[in-house]
Amino acid sequence: MPSDLPISSGSASRSGFPIVRPRRLRATPLFRELVRETELSASDFILPLFVRPGSGIRTEIGSMPGNYQLSPDTLIAEVGQLRELGIRSFILFGIPATKDAEGRVALAEGGIVQQALRALRQAFGHSILLITDECFCEYTSHGHCGILQEVDGRTDVHNDATLPLLAEQCISHARAGADMVAPSGMMDGMVQAIRAGLDGAGFAHVPIMSYAAKYASGFYGPFRDAAESPPSFGDRTTYQMDPANSDEALREVELDLAEGADLIMVKPALSYLDIIRRVKDRFNVPIAAYNVSGEFAMVKAAAQNGWIDERRVTLEILMSIKRAGANMILTYHAPDAARWLKEG
Ligand code: PBG
């Protein structure tokens, strides 16, 4: 070691150097492991799955390599394999055979998500956790997240008329075996309406994971292909949040918690890590982050071009979401990440 270090100079004592040397605890893998603050594991992941009526269907989604539209039978085979990888939590999205202006087919006893829930429950019992996305954009002919109405000469989703339908959708899913419901439509009062509906139907034990801070985001592009749910006109900016806002996210979370949300979600994840952290610092509740389709597609596209190291970048991204404060991550990377974590 050089002998001329400025051991007692004024600036040295303020910085602590050379007494203080953070690199000491980075010197070996064992030291690094000992002081690691965040751990990732397959149990952190919730995998989105897309189900459509039929049999033998396994159609890869072009912009989301490794993700498929599945029919109930192939869904069971897929979930069986995913379970082997340690993935136990799933969120289901339905692509119905028909759509109408109100999305009524979403409420049907024999609807596609209801069918999938029953089939999965029968095949796997309670060894898997089944969450259902609660929204109407996949079921309405216009692709908006609820019933439309003229408001001040503008056609917009009618908030209060959509609420009872949402509650009905949740009850129907709970009846078919959903462990938890996840309303994603950003309607005011949706958590309260759903809580009252579930409680009244004998499902007081079913928790609500509210998409509390969901932004009107360009990162949902590939999902809208996967779920065949793009709005046929306009956009979702009258119900989803403005990406410029952060204080508003805290207010949305506060309201959803007051209405009875058990878990809250921030979505998307990567461009909103600051929101995850603010929510974490303010509220003492479990937080889910949705690492959305566009975030996934960017990584896949760059990896396929050989521009990034997919494994390294993916695990770094997932770690960053957890480090920001998420307790769980909805992610299409779940199968790859679970495999990599298993390999060590
Ligand atoms: C339904 C819904 C969407 C996503 C999840 N639930 C689409 C949207 O709001 O347009 C997006 C998920 C993703 O991009 O991975 N409202």
Side-chain angles (χ1 to χ4, degrees):
M1 182 177 281
S3 56
D4 57 349
L5 283 172
I7 293 176
S8 57
S9 86
S11 72
S13 64
R14 267 198 302 280
S15 75
F17 179 83
I19 308 291
V20 177
R21 291 177 180 272
R23 285 186 56 191
R24 287 188 193 113
L25 296 181
R26 287 179 211 140
T28 69
L30 288 179
F31 271 129
R32 293 196 292 274
E33 192 178 302
L34 194 66
V35 299
R36 189 159 296 138
E37 299 173 36
T38 313
E39 300 280 352
L40 263 188
S41 103
S43 61
D44 299 326
F45 304 144
I46 299 170
L47 178 67
L49 291 170
F50 300 95
V51 59
R52 66 181 315 154
S55 67
I57 298 170
R58 192 165 192 268
T59 312
E60 190 165 30
I61 299 154
S63 50
M64 299 171 70
N67 289 265
Y68 303 84
Q69 291 184 342
L70 302 162
S71 48
D73 56 332
T74 54
L75 176 70
I76 286 177
E78 189 87 2
V79 168
Q81 289 178 7
L82 292 162
R83 224 170 45 131
E84 298 298 307
L85 283 174
I87 300 168
R88 301 289 170 82
S89 299
F90 303 92
I91 181 162
L92 296 179
F93 293 91
I95 306 144
T98 59
K99 306 187 186 217
D100 63 37
E102 297 196 335
R104 287 275 165 190
V105 66
L107 313 175
E109 185 80 10
I112 183 58
V113 168
Q114 289 84 342
Q115 275 181 44
L117 286 166
R118 290 197 176 92
L120 287 168
R121 196 53 85 206
Q122 196 179 3
F124 302 108
H126 284 278
S127 69
I128 52 173
L129 193 79
L130 295 172
I131 306 166
T132 43
D133 183 82
E134 306 293 346
C135 192
F136 287 95
C137 60
E138 295 120 73
Y139 303 94
T140 51
S141 40
H142 45 73
H144 279 283
C145 299
I147 291 184
L148 296 181
Q149 208 202 32
E150 285 280 308
V151 185
D152 264 350
R154 295 177 292 110
T155 302
D156 200 352
V157 174
H158 190 289
N159 193 87
D160 296 11
T162 301
L163 296 180
L165 294 175
L166 260 178
E168 231 187 287
Q169 185 182 34
C170 292
I171 293 166
S172 175
H173 289 163
R175 202 172 277 137
D179 291 299
M180 177 153 73
V181 295
S184 66
M186 289 296 282
M187 295 299 119
D188 295 334
M190 67 182 184
V191 174
Q192 183 180 62
I194 290 167
R195 187 72 272 157
L198 287 173
D199 291 1
F203 296 107
H205 58 283
V206 172
I208 300 173
M209 171 195 265
S210 181
Y211 288 63
K214 177 175 178 178
Y215 287 86
S217 170
F219 288 102
Y220 306 150
F223 173 94
R224 292 178 187 171
D225 293 337
E228 301 178 9
S229 63
S232 61
F233 65 91
D235 55 30
R236 305 208 200 291
T237 49
T238 66
Y239 39 103
Q240 298 179 348
M241 280 181 56
D242 181 342
N245 295 354
S246 159
D247 292 343
E248 188 190 356
L250 299 184
R251 178 159 167 72
E252 282 282 4
V253 169
E254 189 174 22
L255 290 169
D256 282 9
L257 290 174
E259 291 178 27
D262 300 277
L263 266 170
I264 65 93
M265 195 196 294
V266 174
K267 177 188 175 186
L270 267 193
S271 289
Y272 301 86
L273 294 178
D274 59 323
I275 309 298
I276 298 173
R277 174 44 62 185
R278 284 193 78 187
V279 171
K280 179 73 182 172
D281 285 343
R282 175 79 74 92
F283 302 98
N284 187 21
V285 291
I287 300 170
Y290 202 141
N291 175 216
V292 301
S293 56
E295 300 173 317
F296 172 82
M298 291 194 301
V299 171
K300 281 287 173 187
Q304 284 177 354
N305 278 292
W307 294 338
I308 54 168
D309 173 339
E310 183 181 3
R311 173 185 164 137
R312 196 169 167 194
V313 166
T314 300
L315 293 176
E316 187 173 334
I317 285 174
L318 295 172
M319 185 67 84
S320 75
I321 296 169
K322 242 196 130 180
R323 190 197 62 231
N327 300 82
M328 65 206 83
I329 308 170
L330 294 88
T331 179
Y332 306 96
H333 291 296
D336 288 334
R339 211 172 291 118
W340 292 324
L341 291 171
K342 215 171 197 172
E343 288 165 12

